[in-house]
Amino acid sequence: MQELLSNPALFTAFVSMLNPAAALNPQQQMTIGRKRAPSEDLTHSRKRQMLSPVPNRQHSNIEEKSQLPVESTSVLAATCLYTVLQHVDHWPIQIMKAFAEDSFGPRIWVDDNRCSAIVANLEQSIQSRHDDTLTGAMVSAAEKADKYFSSLGASSTKSKTTIPTVPVPTKQPSTKEKRKLTSGAKMNVETSSSSGEEEVLESEVLPSFSMTSVHQEQSHSSKENDSSLYALFSASSPSTEQVRPRYVSSNVELMYEVISDAFEERLNSKSKQNSRLLVTLPLFLRIPRVRVLASRHLERWLQSPALAGLARTLFAGIVKHVESVDPPLFDDLEVVDNILNLKLKAN
């Protein structure tokens, strides 16, 4: 448990398993958001019906057997991360980013029943409002958790890019060269002793490389990570509620930012906006930037016969979540402006 949250490479590997872009191959990414063509179904069925040239032996695809299904790896990563973080109040923002990307994309592990516990906590974090009840200790703990997980991800990136340099050992002199160096040293003994200076042969000065300093730095950093990790668990409240908000204080703004970026990236992708995306959006309408991006595409969605019904529900949800505050939010002003500029045909 401690290794998953203290080893940067291991933590990054588990989070990357939740990322649909890393889990799917390019051919699978192209099929997101569109139906399979009949020719693709025919080609797929032909591949499955291929027979082996050896009699009484079925054809087996070695490549498919050597790889685990994408769903299995994503579910495994989500289960392990929830097992480790279920007693921690403040979760890393990388998990929320992976949740948003999978929610707006292929929904590999978000719709899986085996991941319902971690998904429920992430959804509760988006829908909750609890800034008024925050204490100074909760705000401080949230900032420390964000600092720790940010440094954990940064150290993982640094470890991938930095390569330790090892000095190249010098070539050892041959027997003849040693004799020449020894004779030259004897001839220079008298001159060096008279001046009181000591000469050192270049062949005697060999570069020494010790791993002591490297081990000391690694042990020092590991001790700092252990202390920060202990503080992260000790600062968490002993709550019996398994589903509760995991992002508070400054982490809420980070959560809104990664979700908005994931939604904008989904809209700018080559994949079509299908009904599954419109069904997902009401969960994220509390975020002002998501409301702005959705309002920019409302006109096209409302005019689509296949998406008109879901677009009307989304339209009502956007209007419902517009905040009536003074001064008004800049994002909500843009939402109202986009709604007033809609050019719709009467049904």
Side-chain angles (χ1 to χ4, degrees):
M1 180 181 69
Q2 181 179 357
E3 186 70 16
L4 183 56
L5 295 183
S6 59
N7 189 335
L10 185 61
F11 173 75
T12 305
F14 270 83
V15 174
S16 63
M17 291 166 64
L18 299 177
N19 189 0
L24 296 177
N25 55 46
Q27 185 177 2
Q28 289 175 325
Q29 293 180 19
M30 293 177 61
T31 59
I32 296 175
R34 67 179 180 89
K35 295 182 179 180
R36 187 187 297 271
S39 59
E40 294 177 357
D41 289 333
L42 181 60
T43 304
H44 183 66
S45 61
R46 286 178 179 176
K47 288 183 178 180
R48 295 185 59 184
Q49 295 176 1
M50 290 178 60
L51 299 178
S52 174
V54 182
N56 300 328
R57 182 177 297 180
Q58 296 181 354
H59 175 75
S60 60
N61 194 336
I62 301 177
E63 183 179 358
E64 292 182 357
K65 287 186 176 181
S66 61
Q67 296 180 356
L68 290 174
V70 177
E71 295 81 0
S72 301
T73 56
S74 300
V75 170
L76 174 63
T79 304
C80 293
L81 288 171
Y82 176 74
T83 304
V84 175
L85 296 170
Q86 60 180 334
H87 300 297
V88 179
D89 289 341
H90 310 287
W91 285 9
I93 198 65
Q94 293 90 335
I95 297 180
M96 179 58 74
K97 180 181 179 180
F99 171 73
E101 292 176 350
D102 192 48
S103 297
F104 298 134
R107 303 185 70 87
I108 298 175
W109 57 275
V110 169
D111 290 338
D112 199 301
N113 294 329
R114 294 170 292 180
C115 303
S116 59
I118 187 173
V119 171
N121 281 270
L122 295 172
E123 291 179 350
Q124 184 69 19
S125 302
I126 298 173
Q127 297 175 350
S128 298
R129 284 180 176 270
H130 45 73
D131 292 340
D132 298 335
T133 60
L134 293 179
T135 61
M138 296 175 63
V139 174
S140 177
E143 293 177 353
K144 291 180 180 180
D146 176 50
K147 183 178 179 181
Y148 174 77
F149 289 120
S150 299
S151 62
L152 191 65
S155 59
S156 173
T157 306
K158 183 178 180 181
S159 62
K160 292 180 180 179
T161 55
T162 58
I163 301 176
T165 58
V166 180
V168 180
T170 58
K171 184 179 180 180
Q172 296 294 333
S174 61
T175 306
K176 295 182 179 180
E177 293 177 351
K178 288 182 180 180
R179 291 177 181 176
K180 291 180 180 181
L181 293 173
T182 306
S183 61
K186 290 181 180 179
M187 293 174 62
N188 295 331
V189 168
E190 297 179 357
T191 57
S192 61
S193 60
S194 60
S195 60
E197 297 177 356
E198 295 183 358
E199 294 184 358
V200 182
L201 298 178
E202 294 182 359
S203 60
E204 295 178 0
V205 182
L206 298 176
S208 60
F209 179 74
S210 177
M211 295 293 293
T212 306
S213 59
V214 179
H215 290 311
Q216 289 178 354
E217 293 179 358
Q218 292 179 352
S219 61
H220 180 68
S221 60
S222 62
K223 289 181 180 179
E224 290 182 353
N225 290 336
D226 293 342
S227 60
S228 302
L229 188 61
Y230 176 77
L232 183 66
F233 278 90
S234 61
S236 301
S237 59
S239 178
T240 57
E241 298 180 0
Q242 295 183 355
V243 179
R244 60 184 186 273
R246 307 289 182 162
Y247 300 90
V248 297
S249 185
S250 60
N251 294 337
V252 176
E253 297 297 330
L254 294 175
M255 177 180 66
Y256 286 178
E257 182 179 355
V258 297
I259 292 175
S260 302
D261 292 343
F263 181 44
E264 186 174 8
E265 183 179 356
R266 174 66 175 86
L267 292 175
N268 296 333
S269 63
K270 297 181 180 180
S271 302
K272 296 181 180 179
Q273 287 84 44
N274 51 10
S275 58
R276 186 169 54 182
L277 177 63
L278 270 65
V279 172
T280 305
L281 278 179
L283 173 65
F284 303 94
L285 290 180
R286 186 178 292 276
I287 304 173
R289 184 63 180 169
V290 173
R291 294 197 294 268
V292 172
L293 295 173
S295 64
R296 294 176 183 176
H297 295 75
L298 267 179
E299 182 176 348
R300 184 176 62 183
W301 293 338
L302 289 170
Q303 292 179 357
S304 173
L307 304 177
L310 295 174
R312 295 190 190 97
T313 305
L314 181 63
F315 186 10
I318 293 175
V319 175
K320 177 182 178 181
H321 284 86
V322 172
E323 299 182 10
S324 57
V325 294
D326 189 20
L329 298 178
F330 179 78
D331 290 333
D332 285 340
L333 290 178
E334 185 177 352
V335 169
V336 174
D337 186 63
N338 292 335
I339 291 176
L340 295 177
N341 292 330
L342 290 177
K343 298 178 181 180
L344 303 177
K345 298 180 181 180
N347 293 332

